[in-house]
Amino acid sequence: MTTQSFYQESLGGGRRNLPGEDPSLWYLNAGELTSQTNSNSAGDWAMLSFLFRANYVYKDKFLVTGTFRRDGSSRFGRENRFGNFPSIALGYRLIEEGFLQNQNFLSNLKIRGSWGIIGNDKIAFYEGRPVVTGNTNAVFGVNEELIYGATLTRLANPFIQWEETITSNLGLEFGFF
């Protein structure tokens, strides 16, 4: 079992036309007020994974490895939060056959192959959830009072899910002397 999490937060501000070239005079309130900018953001994600692996060797000649991974990512909505990713690998050690036992040239000879599914959750933090943004202010009423507000800026995508890629390979391994 593994778990990981990430959190980031940023805060920034700026003004143009700061006085002089001396960095000791570079303060935000020293520049042009009309050029003031500010920004902030925050984001987080987490993943929980369960890993299983089984190996079997028969007569030091036939090799089987099966793995299964179940990953859960906060980047997706509840319906598609978890993905299942199996794989299998097979090997046949030809070097263990009787007709190759009395030679000194090869130290390893194996045929191998594998098949598996891998998953990818590298999308924006909150694609599976609706996003509300603050600081969307408006003027209301007879007194033209500034009211601080928030608004929905992105709907949730309940269908977004793990990207899956199927991989397979075949190989021949040689070892000499």
Side-chain angles (χ1 to χ4, degrees):
M1 181 178 150
T2 67
T3 184
Q4 52 186 313
S5 64
F6 172 83
Y7 176 78
Q8 67 90 30
E9 189 173 333
S10 67
L11 175 65
R15 284 193 183 180
R16 286 189 235 141
N17 296 326
L18 296 172
E21 295 184 19
D22 183 359
S24 67
L25 300 175
W26 291 355
Y27 294 98
L28 285 178
N29 62 356
E32 284 181 357
L33 180 59
T34 58
S35 68
Q36 179 174 325
T37 60
N38 58 42
S39 63
N40 67 317
S41 68
D44 65 339
W45 61 265
M47 182 178 284
L48 174 65
S49 301
F50 300 96
L51 311 151
F52 305 92
R53 180 176 170 172
N55 294 317
Y56 182 71
V57 178
Y58 181 70
K59 292 188 177 181
D60 205 26
K61 191 185 309 186
F62 302 100
L63 314 166
V64 178
T65 299
T67 61
F68 180 79
R69 181 176 181 130
R70 181 166 170 83
D71 290 330
S73 175
S74 66
R75 295 177 191 245
F76 303 109
R78 290 192 189 282
E79 296 300 318
N80 297 314
R81 180 141 310 150
F82 283 89
N84 299 312
F85 309 107
S87 70
I88 188 165
L90 304 171
Y92 175 49
R93 297 190 68 225
L94 287 164
I95 197 69
E96 297 298 322
E97 291 294 344
F99 64 90
L100 290 174
Q101 293 297 307
N102 295 327
Q103 54 80 36
N104 295 325
F105 180 67
L106 289 172
S107 60
N108 186 30
L109 181 59
K110 179 170 64 172
I111 299 171
R112 60 176 171 76
S114 66
W115 174 92
I117 300 174
I118 56 174
N120 180 6
D121 74 333
K122 303 304 180 245
I123 60 173
F125 289 168
Y126 306 111
E127 291 291 323
R129 299 181 189 165
V131 175
V132 175
T133 297
N135 201 23
T136 51
N137 308 326
V139 176
F140 287 106
V142 178
N143 298 332
E144 295 185 358
E145 185 177 351
L146 180 63
I147 305 296
Y148 298 98
T151 188
L152 183 67
T153 58
R154 186 176 67 217
L155 296 174
N157 182 350
F159 303 107
I160 198 161
Q161 59 187 346
W162 286 88
E163 175 186 26
E164 293 183 355
T165 303
I166 296 174
T167 61
S168 59
N169 71 66
L170 291 172
L172 184 60
E173 294 182 14
F174 291 95
F176 300 100
F177 305 107

